[in-house]
Amino acid sequence: MLSEFKDFIAKGNVMDMAVGIIIGAAFTAIVTSLVSDLINPIIGLVSGGVDFTNNYITLAGEVAAGTSLEAAREAGANVFAWGAFVMAVINFLIIAWVVFLLVRFVNRVKDAAMTKEEEAPEEPAGPSQEELLADILTELKKA
């Protein structure tokens, strides 16, 4: 059983997956920062600072008007936090768009590199094995 586990870990697929997860975690931090620190402030500026996060409906409990969602939850109120959900959907769409643009950019760079490799002049092919053997046979007949 131990040797099977060792074989499983040693396979390239597991190592590739581990590298992918590590890179994915780092990439998530970059995309999250890009969206929250750069894109959301611009969208907030254009939209007049619209933020639905603190919009909710109190289902049970006493909450003063204008209380933030976090304060309402801390007070023990049962809330229907529709605004937080709307903002999560908006953030998801923004993150998905940013990831799409990044993947599109990477694919274009990769395609450009592949095109340059394809355009590289190929070395002329030498004579085939049959041609070399025929030349040798011709030379031997002359001798």
Side-chain angles (χ1 to χ4, degrees), residues 81-96:
W82 66 270
F85 176 75
V86 168
M87 288 307 295
V89 170
I90 290 170
N91 281 338
F92 169 77
L93 293 173
I94 293 169
I95 289 170

Side-chain angles (χ1 to χ4, degrees), residues 38-53:
L38 302 177
I39 295 175
N40 279 348
I42 293 171
I43 291 174
L45 183 65
V46 171
S47 67
V50 175
D51 184 8
F52 299 111
T53 304

Side-chain angles (χ1 to χ4, degrees), residues 52-130:
F52 299 111
T53 304
N54 286 315
N55 292 349
Y56 61 91
I57 298 170
T58 305
L59 300 176
E62 291 282 327
V63 177
T67 304
S68 71
L69 175 62
E70 184 178 328
R73 285 181 173 160
E74 287 177 6
N78 189 357
V79 295
F80 182 75
W82 66 270
F85 176 75
V86 168
M87 288 307 295
V89 170
I90 290 170
N91 281 338
F92 169 77
L93 293 173
I94 293 169
I95 289 170
W97 180 253
V98 168
V99 169
F100 166 74
L101 292 177
L102 288 172
V103 168
R104 186 174 169 211
F105 173 75
V106 168
N107 285 340
R108 285 190 179 182
V109 168
K110 190 167 79 172
D111 289 344
M114 295 287 268
T115 304
K116 286 181 183 177
E117 287 179 10
E118 289 173 2
E119 291 176 358
E122 294 184 20
E123 295 181 19
S128 68
Q129 186 176 5
E130 288 80 16

